[in-house]
Amino acid sequence: MTNTQTLQSLFRPFTLGKLSLSNRTVMAPMTRQKSPNGVPGSDVAAYYRRRAENGVGLIVTEGTVINHADSSNQKDVPYFYGEEALNGWANVVSEVHDAGGKIVPQIWHMGARGNVNEYTEEEIAHIVQEFANSAAAAKRLGFDGIELHGAHGYLIDQFFWEKTNQRTDRYGGSFIARTTFAAEVVKACREAVGPEFPIILRISQWKGIDYSAKLVGTAEELKQFLEPLVNAGVDIFHCSTRRFWEPEFEGSELNFAGWVKQLTGKPTITVGSIGLDGDVSTFFTTGSGSGNASLDGLIPKLENQEFDLVAIGRALLADPAWVSKIREGRVEELIPFTPQSVQTLY
Ligand SMILES: Cc1cc2nc3c(=O)[nH]c(=O)nc-3n(C[C@H](O)[C@H](O)[C@H](O)COP(=O)(O)O)c2cc1C
C-alpha cells in the first residue's frame, strides 16, 4: 500500500466556483434499492452520513429517478420528485452537511422501455423538463450540485450510442447529433439552477450490455463529441471506466478522464478499480469480491493533474471509513470488498 507521505495529492482541497471540497475523493454513485416507494428514509441518510463522517470529499448519491413513466424499472430506487421523496432527500443533505460533507444527487432516467426512436419530440421535451425540475429541486433542498447520469447505457447514453439511437431528426444521425438530447438536458438544468450551481455529467464509453462499446474512436472525435456538452453548461465531467490506469487511445498514457480534461479544459473525475484488484464487471457478472490494491499507480496521475478528482465505488461500499483509513495509513484495517461485507455494510 502507498505510503501516507505520497498521498498528499489525494488530500488537497478542490475548489470550483462555489463548490469547495476538502479533498479529492468522491463516492461513486451506487444504486442500492433501499428506498421503499421511492422515499429515502433515515437509514439512507445514515448510510451517506457515515461516509461523510469518514472524510469523503464529495458524495454522489445512488441514481435517483426523474418523474417519467419509463424512468425506473427497479424496485425501491429513490425518486427525485414528489414531496415525500424530496423531504427524505432534504434529511440526507442535512445529515451529510452536519457531518462536514458535500453531496450531489445523481439524477437518473433508466431509459426507454421500447427504444429512443419511438419517443416523439413532444415526449422528449417533457423528459427534458423533468430533468430540469429535479435539478431545481436539488438546488432548493441545499445539495451542492447535481450529477446527470449520462453513462452505462441508460437514457442519456441511449441517445449517445449509435446502436440504440437510429433517429433521423436532430437527435440522431452522427455522433455529434446524438449529443443533442444530453445538451438539451444540460441546458434546461442550467436554466433551472442558474450559472453558479455545479452540474456534473457522467459519461462512459462502456455500456451495461456491452463492456467493449465505444461512443467515439479517436481523440478528435471525442473533442467534437464534448463540445456541445461544454457549451450547454457542464462544469465537471465524471468519466466512467472500469480500470482507471488504462490509456483511452493509442499513443498516449492519458486515461478517459485525462483526455476529457485535456480536450475541454474542464475538471474531471476518474473512476474504476481504485484501491481494488478486480474491476466492477466481475462483481456484476459473477457477484465476486476483489482484494485491496495499492494506490501507487493513481498518485502520479493525480500529481500530474491528469484529472482532478477520484471516485471510489465498491471500496467505499465495503468500508465506509475507507478514506480516513487511507489518509491515516491504517490500510491493514480496511474491510475487503466481498459479497458478505457489502451485505452487512451496504
Ligand atoms: C452496486 C453498484 C451499483 C452501481 N450503481 C450505479 C449508479 O446508480 N450509477 C452509476 O453511474 N454507476 C453505478 N455503478 C458504477 C459505480 O459508480 C462505479 O463507476 C463502478 O463501481 C466502478 O468503480 P469501482 O471500481 O471503484 O467500484 C454501480 C456500481 C456498483 C458496484
Side-chain angles (χ1 to χ4, degrees), residues 66-111:
I66 64 165
N67 188 7
H68 181 252
D70 296 345
S71 70
S72 180
N73 58 18
Q74 280 174 23
K75 199 173 150 352
D76 300 337
V77 161
Y79 302 157
F80 211 81
Y81 60 88
E83 201 181 332
E84 230 189 320
L86 293 178
N87 285 342
W89 282 119
N91 184 38
V92 172
V93 175
S94 132
E95 290 288 335
V96 167
H97 283 171
D98 191 51
K102 298 282 162 83
I103 182 165
V104 301
Q106 189 189 48
I107 312 280
W108 194 17
H109 184 302
M110 293 190 199

Side-chain angles (χ1 to χ4, degrees), residues 27 44 46 74 107 137 144 174 181 200 204 227 298 325 329 335:
M27 179 175 183
V44 175
Q74 280 174 23
I107 312 280
D144 299 288
S174 70
F181 175 71
I200 304 170
S204 68
E227 212 171 81
L298 176 73
K325 288 179 186 173
I335 302 169

Side-chain angles (χ1 to χ4, degrees), residues 28-31 63 106 149 152 202 271-273 280 284 313-314 346:
M30 283 175 288
T31 292
Q106 189 189 48
H149 193 345
H152 306 166
R202 195 172 221 219
V271 66
S273 305
V280 68
F284 287 149
R314 292 161 296 148
Y346 220 65

Side-chain angles (χ1 to χ4, degrees), residues 270-334:
T270 197
V271 66
S273 305
I274 284 159
L276 294 178
D277 68 3
D279 75 64
V280 68
S281 58
T282 59
F283 176 61
F284 287 149
T285 53
T286 65
S288 59
S290 294
N292 293 332
S294 152
L295 300 179
D296 285 351
L298 176 73
I299 298 304
K301 284 175 170 285
L302 193 56
E303 266 164 13
N304 289 339
Q305 300 178 38
E306 181 173 332
F307 36 74
D308 302 272
L309 298 164
V310 173
I312 299 118
R314 292 161 296 148
L316 260 172
L317 264 193
D319 194 340
W322 190 90
V323 172
S324 51
K325 288 179 186 173
I326 290 288
R327 183 174 203 156
E328 292 155 19
R330 292 154 53 209
V331 290
E332 68 292 343
E333 292 173 38
L334 288 171

Side-chain angles (χ1 to χ4, degrees), residues 128-237:
V128 168
Q129 185 54 48
E130 288 299 344
F131 270 102
N133 291 346
S134 287
K139 187 175 177 191
R140 210 168 53 238
L141 297 181
F143 277 95
D144 299 288
I146 55 164
E147 174 167 292
L148 295 166
H149 193 345
H152 306 166
Y154 297 106
L155 185 70
I156 293 177
D157 202 19
Q158 289 180 341
F159 276 91
F160 283 149
W161 197 29
E162 64 181 336
K163 294 244 168 75
T164 43
N165 178 355
Q166 284 93 36
R167 296 182 71 98
T168 52
D169 58 6
R170 68 200 164 94
Y171 295 101
S174 70
F175 69 88
I176 300 171
R178 288 195 293 273
T179 66
T180 304
F181 175 71
E184 288 184 359
V185 169
V186 173
K187 252 186 227 150
C189 291
R190 177 56 72 210
E191 275 163 28
V193 299
E196 294 188 346
F197 193 69
I199 297 180
I200 304 170
L201 177 64
R202 195 172 221 219
I203 53 173
S204 68
Q205 299 260 42
W206 69 273
K207 318 294 158 218
I209 56 164
D210 182 354
Y211 290 131
S212 63
K214 296 274 176 212
L215 295 178
V216 291
T218 64
E220 180 51 37
E221 283 177 4
L222 183 59
K223 184 169 190 266
Q224 294 174 43
F225 175 87
L226 293 166
E227 212 171 81
L229 304 171
V230 171
N231 293 340
V234 173
D235 295 303
I236 300 175
F237 286 95

